[in-house]
């Protein structure tokens, strides 16, 4: 009897596998016919089915799947079916999470729709996946020009200013301020000054996703990614111990632009700093 059961299960598994192969084959044929008829939505659905049933085919049909996705996305965009468009890209990135071409295309759609910060994230990921991907690099630099104000580049090249900040941070750290919070870290330069001055704990927050990712790269390039904790959030949303484990003894920032003079901004920053700073004994 056991031998009979074992044979039944083998036959059952064999039948299921044959059925899977047949369904995959039929879906591939249907997808090809749909592409010939320029029915990109139905073709895309067939390829999704194939990739879920036969993940071993991912490499062989990747380029055709990309073509189908992009054509279907163009149609959805023209029909203002924005949520459907994003759903398709999310499905595609679940199947191909490290595909720089799909990431770049997603970024292009986001940029055209005005989601520049989010677009920069996808362009940045595409460049990290393939540093030689010219289209992604061009897109990332283009969106960076929108997101990074001109004064930031001038500020970073202001040697006198940087040396003044470095000296002030060194004096504070050497006088006993060993835990530091950098608000609006930008490229992370003030955080790195604090760490090089000898601070034992350095935390930095940045609201802009583009600048946060840039700071991560700059800090990593200086081998400080394990010594500086970078947070992608607004300083007013920082919580202890949820985001940082302790009150800090020094806050550094350079958020002095026109936005600082908005109603309530100064008071809000002071309130946040009082919450995060160690109180004098």
């Amino acid at each position: 009897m056991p031998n009979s059961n074992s044979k039944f299960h083998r036959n059952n598994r064999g039948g299921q596998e044959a059925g899977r192969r047949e369904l995959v084959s039929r879906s591939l044929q249907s997808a090809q016919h749909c592409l010939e008829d320029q029915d990109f939505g139905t073709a895309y659905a067939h390829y999704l089915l194939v990739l879920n049933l036969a993940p071993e085919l991912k490499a062989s049909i990747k380029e055709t799947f990309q073509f189908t996705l992009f054509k279907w996305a163009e149609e959805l965009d023209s029909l203002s079916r924005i949520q459907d468009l994003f759903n398709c890209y999310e499905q595609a990135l679940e199947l191909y999470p490290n595909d720089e071409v799909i990431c770049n295309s997603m970024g292009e759609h986001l940029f055209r729709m005005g989601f520049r910060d989010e677009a920069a994230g996808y362009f940045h990921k595409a460049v990290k996946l393939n540093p030689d991907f010219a289209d992604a690099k061009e897109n990332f630099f283009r969106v960076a020009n929108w997101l990074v104000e001109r004064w930031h580049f001038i500020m970073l090249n202001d040697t006198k200013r940087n040396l003044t900040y470095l000296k002030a941070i060194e004096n504070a750290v050497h006088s006993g301020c060993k835990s530091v919070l950098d608000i609006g870290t930008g490229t992370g330069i003030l955080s790195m000054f604090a760490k090089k001055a000898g601070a034992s704990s350095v935390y930095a927050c940045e609201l802009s996703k583009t600048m946060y990712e840039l700071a991560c790269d700059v800090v990593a390039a200086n081998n400080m990614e394990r010594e500086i904790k970078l947070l992608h959030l607004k300083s007013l949303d920082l919580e202890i111990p949820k985001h940082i484990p302790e009150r800090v003894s020094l806050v550094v920032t350079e958020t002095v632009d026109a936005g600082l003079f908005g109603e309530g901004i100064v008071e809000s920053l002071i309130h946040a700093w009082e919450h995060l700073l160690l109180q004098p004994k």
Side-chain angles (χ1 to χ4, degrees):
M1 194 68 175
N3 290 336
S4 171
N5 286 335
S6 177
K7 183 176 180 180
F8 170 78
H9 288 306
R10 283 199 303 271
N11 290 338
N12 190 41
R13 285 196 298 270
Q16 289 177 345
E17 177 60 22
R20 183 187 73 92
R21 287 198 301 266
E22 177 67 18
L23 182 55
V24 167
S25 176
R26 287 180 178 275
S27 293
L28 283 173
Q29 291 176 8
S30 296
Q32 189 58 45
H33 291 319
C34 289
L35 285 180
E36 292 170 0
D37 295 335
Q38 297 190 349
D39 182 359
F40 300 114
T42 306
Y44 175 76
H46 280 299
Y47 280 123
L48 278 184
L49 177 61
V50 169
L51 289 167
N52 279 287
L53 286 174
E56 67 274 12
L57 296 178
K58 281 184 180 180
S60 61
I61 67 172
K62 183 171 79 168
E63 290 187 8
T64 309
F65 175 75
Q66 287 174 345
F67 171 81
T68 307
L69 168 67
F70 300 155
K71 286 294 186 181
W72 179 223
E74 287 176 7
E75 280 193 29
L76 292 172
D77 193 6
S78 68
L79 296 169
S80 297
R81 292 171 56 183
I82 306 306
Q83 189 57 57
D84 289 336
L85 185 153
F86 288 149
N87 289 342
C88 286
Y89 273 98
E90 287 175 4
Q91 292 167 339
L93 286 170
E94 285 181 8
L95 293 165
Y96 296 97
N98 296 318
D99 188 285
E100 70 274 17
V101 178
I102 295 176
C103 286
N104 182 65
S105 180
M106 176 66 157
E108 289 175 339
H109 281 286
L110 286 165
F111 184 78
R112 284 196 295 271
M113 293 172 190
F115 301 107
R116 291 169 181 158
D117 213 9
E118 293 83 354
Y122 281 98
F123 294 145
H124 183 256
K125 182 179 179 180
V127 172
K128 293 198 80 171
L129 288 168
N130 182 0
D132 297 324
F133 190 6
D135 287 350
K137 286 197 291 187
E138 182 180 343
N139 284 331
F140 181 70
F141 293 141
R142 178 163 57 113
V143 75
N145 283 331
W146 285 92
L147 294 171
V148 182
E149 293 87 345
R150 300 290 180 184
W151 56 261
H152 207 101
F153 297 105
I154 298 171
M155 181 181 71
L156 287 173
N157 287 284
D158 187 341
T159 303
K160 182 178 179 180
R161 164 206 165 274
N162 292 337
L163 289 175
T164 302
Y165 262 99
L166 175 60
K167 187 64 177 176
I169 291 171
E170 285 178 341
N171 288 340
V173 172
H174 294 165
S175 67
C177 296
K178 296 299 184 181
S179 55
V180 181
L181 171 64
D182 179 6
I183 292 179
T185 191
T187 58
I189 187 171
L190 300 186
S191 294
M192 291 188 290
F193 284 170
K195 196 63 197 177
K196 286 182 177 179
S200 57
S201 303
V202 180
Y203 313 101
C205 62
E206 174 57 55
L207 179 60
S208 165
K209 185 176 181 181
T210 302
M211 293 307 300
Y212 164 75
E213 291 181 345
L214 179 60
C216 289
D217 285 347
V218 172
V219 168
N222 285 273
N223 299 314
M224 293 186 182
E225 66 270 27
R226 295 183 179 178
E227 301 174 339
I228 298 173
K229 183 176 181 179
L230 289 160
L231 299 159
H232 176 219
L233 77 168
K234 189 191 299 185
S235 61
L236 298 177
D237 294 334
L238 272 174
E239 295 180 21
I240 299 169
K242 181 179 180 180
H243 300 114
I244 60 176
E246 59 185 335
R247 285 175 177 263
V248 297
S249 52
L250 176 66
V251 170
V252 297
T253 187
E254 184 156 19
T255 52
V256 184
D257 65 0
L260 180 61
F261 301 102
E263 184 178 354
I265 296 296
V266 176
E267 291 80 1
S268 296
L269 283 173
I270 291 173
H271 175 74
W273 296 349
E274 287 176 346
H275 171 65
L276 296 166
L277 275 167
L278 284 169
Q279 300 302 313
K281 295 180 179 179

